Amino acid sequence: MTIRFTILALAVPIYFDNHATTQVDPRVVEAMLPTFSQTYGNPSSVGHLFGEEAKQLVEASQASIATAIGADATEVVFTSGATESNNLAISGVLTQRRRRGDHVVTVTTEHKAVLDPLEQYEHQGFEITRLSPRQAGDSLAGMLDADQVREAIRPGTALVSVMLANNEIGVIHPIAEIGQICKEQGVLLHCDATQAVGKLPVDVEQLGVDLMSFSAHKMYGPKGIGGLYVRKRNPRVRLQPAIFGGGQQRGTRSGTLNVPGIVALAEAVRLSLAEMDQESKRLAQLRHQLWIGLNERITGLHLNGPALEATGARLAGNLNFAVDKVDGEALMMNVREIAVSSGSACTSANPQPSHVLRAIGLTEDLTRSSLRIGIGRFNTAEEVEFAVDVVARAVDKLRKLIA
């Protein structure tokens, strides 16, 4: 049971974990509701009106999403979310008999939904090159240089997998440059764009990606629905399916289509695209307010990831920082009035320090004393001020205990 209370007209706790998931936008809920009680047919049942209407909804949503990312509608495959999309992209390429080789290039700060499948293939004899990004202290800390990818590619490289925006430190990788390199070398590029689609302008042609994963619940849509862009030309990407059954989605991913989720995903993408410029500016202003406020109240703060002043290097709503002389677990327990994170929500069951922060050179102590704050669409300036006060008071309390 969730217990909520009100302080100075603010509903507490306040949600600041928008990289983990987001509140579903009421407009998205409104768009998907008719699919539960009116247009509820199976889109594969095309012999009657109910199925035909559902099929039309799916096709319209597919076309809308494709247009938003610069793709063709036939290149969008619906999945249960980005984890499945990542697995389908990686397994689909690496299990193809016609693949170029048994070598894969990735980066140490990738999401576990990429690193863990690759580790499994490593056990099967594949060779995985894990590149290290720029280290802490660099103004572009966490960013992968495109030339590193160029140097890592060799004749047997079957796939390069690099995310567009990191889920912990918000760094934005130069995917367009990496895409050009992969194109020149004839290597397929997979991009986990889960944190980017809906927050950044994303065009698969401009980026040069061959496969791209995304998910609704990171952009104010529901959980359980996502997509995988699969290039159909120059080159045509063929994937070995992971799920077999009714042959839906041209056999790439069988199973009855999640019509409510697909409609919701399309609406979430549409709204995010329409409001992107205004929302990005507002989130950046709130983040600036938050960081300035924290620095005025707390000494010994360390920004994790690229400098906030580095143009285009970081997601607008992302702030990740470490606090000197404070235990991170204790800090989390003392800021219960706000919902924040110490790392990726998908690895919260793992007690080990964030692999992303360790990969950019943070000590274990600083890694364990770090917080990730994800500012989102429904956060306000008043909530940011409240968060500053909550964190500052908690740090002061914990430091006094060890003084």
Side-chain angles (χ1 to χ4, degrees), residues 80-390:
S80 62
T83 295
E84 183 189 342
S85 294
N86 288 337
N87 277 259
L88 176 57
I90 292 168
S91 298
V93 170
L94 299 188
T95 55
Q96 273 286 351
R97 293 182 179 178
R98 299 178 182 178
R99 68 176 181 270
R100 174 170 149 158
D102 293 340
H103 176 237
V104 181
V105 178
T106 189
V107 59
T108 54
T109 51
E110 282 294 307
H111 194 281
K112 288 293 186 179
V114 167
L115 294 178
D116 284 358
L118 289 178
E119 184 178 353
Q120 294 303 310
Y121 280 99
E122 191 171 37
H123 294 326
Q124 298 175 31
F126 284 76
E127 186 175 352
I128 314 299
T129 296
R130 301 170 179 85
L131 301 174
S132 295
R134 297 194 185 200
Q135 297 295 286
D138 192 304
S139 62
L140 298 177
M143 185 177 292
L144 181 68
D145 291 329
D147 283 342
Q148 291 177 260
V149 177
R150 187 192 302 277
E151 294 170 3
I153 290 175
R154 59 196 194 209
T157 303
L159 182 69
V160 170
S161 182
V162 179
M163 60 178 21
L164 181 48
N166 187 271
N167 54 299
E168 293 193 34
I169 56 176
V171 66
I172 300 169
H173 292 302
I175 295 299
E177 294 179 49
I178 294 172
Q180 182 61 39
I181 291 169
C182 290
K183 185 78 170 178
E184 293 170 356
Q185 300 293 328
V187 177
L188 295 180
L189 172 61
H190 165 249
C191 179
D192 179 354
T194 309
Q195 295 289 344
V197 174
K199 301 172 187 175
L200 301 173
V202 173
D203 185 296
V204 294
E205 292 297 333
Q206 291 179 5
L207 294 175
V209 298
D210 300 298
L211 299 133
M212 187 179 77
S213 308
F214 51 97
S215 186
H217 79 104
K218 304 294 187 180
M219 50 177 148
Y220 312 97
K223 301 168 186 66
I225 182 67
L228 176 66
Y229 160 74
V230 183
R231 181 177 289 279
K232 296 296 184 184
R233 61 189 184 281
N234 301 322
R236 179 180 178 86
V237 179
R238 299 181 184 276
L239 298 180
Q240 178 70 21
I243 298 176
F244 297 88
Q248 290 89 347
Q249 304 197 78
R250 297 175 176 81
T252 302
R253 199 269 194 183
S254 292
T256 301
L257 292 172
N258 175 3
V259 180
I262 289 169
V263 170
L265 173 59
E267 182 66 1
V269 170
R270 187 191 70 81
L271 290 170
S272 295
L273 194 64
E275 301 173 2
M276 185 179 296
D277 289 344
Q278 179 181 353
E279 187 164 282
S280 294
K281 292 177 183 177
R282 191 182 74 87
L283 295 184
Q285 290 172 351
L286 291 180
R287 181 183 65 189
H288 178 74
Q289 175 188 348
L290 176 61
W291 186 235
I292 293 299
L294 290 171
N295 277 279
E296 288 175 347
R297 298 278 302 274
I298 305 171
T299 59
L301 291 182
H302 302 268
L303 179 69
N304 299 329
L308 301 186
E309 299 78 20
T311 304
R314 192 176 193 134
L315 291 172
N318 173 270
L319 188 65
N320 192 312
F321 60 92
V323 187
D324 277 340
K325 299 179 181 178
V326 169
D327 177 76
E329 186 175 339
L331 181 57
M332 287 283 293
M333 293 300 295
N334 280 272
V335 294
R336 301 301 295 270
E337 301 98 325
I338 57 174
V340 295
S341 170
S342 58
S344 171
C346 300
T347 58
S348 59
N350 187 345
Q352 297 302 313
S354 161
H355 75 281
V356 171
L357 299 183
R358 294 308 305 272
I360 63 171
L362 264 69
T363 65
E364 183 169 336
D365 285 345
L366 281 180
T367 300
R368 290 190 181 277
S369 68
S370 294
L371 288 184
R372 178 187 70 172
I373 297 180
I375 306 170
R377 179 175 296 172
F378 302 106
N379 289 126
T380 66
E382 291 76 18
E383 291 176 338
V384 166
E385 285 301 313
F386 180 74
V388 168
D389 187 59
V390 168

Side-chain angles (χ1 to χ4, degrees), residues 24-44:
V24 181
D25 193 302
R27 295 169 293 180
V28 173
V29 175
E30 184 179 359
M32 70 188 295
L33 281 178
T35 64
F36 292 108
S37 58
Q38 299 172 33
T39 319
Y40 53 82
N42 187 327
S44 297

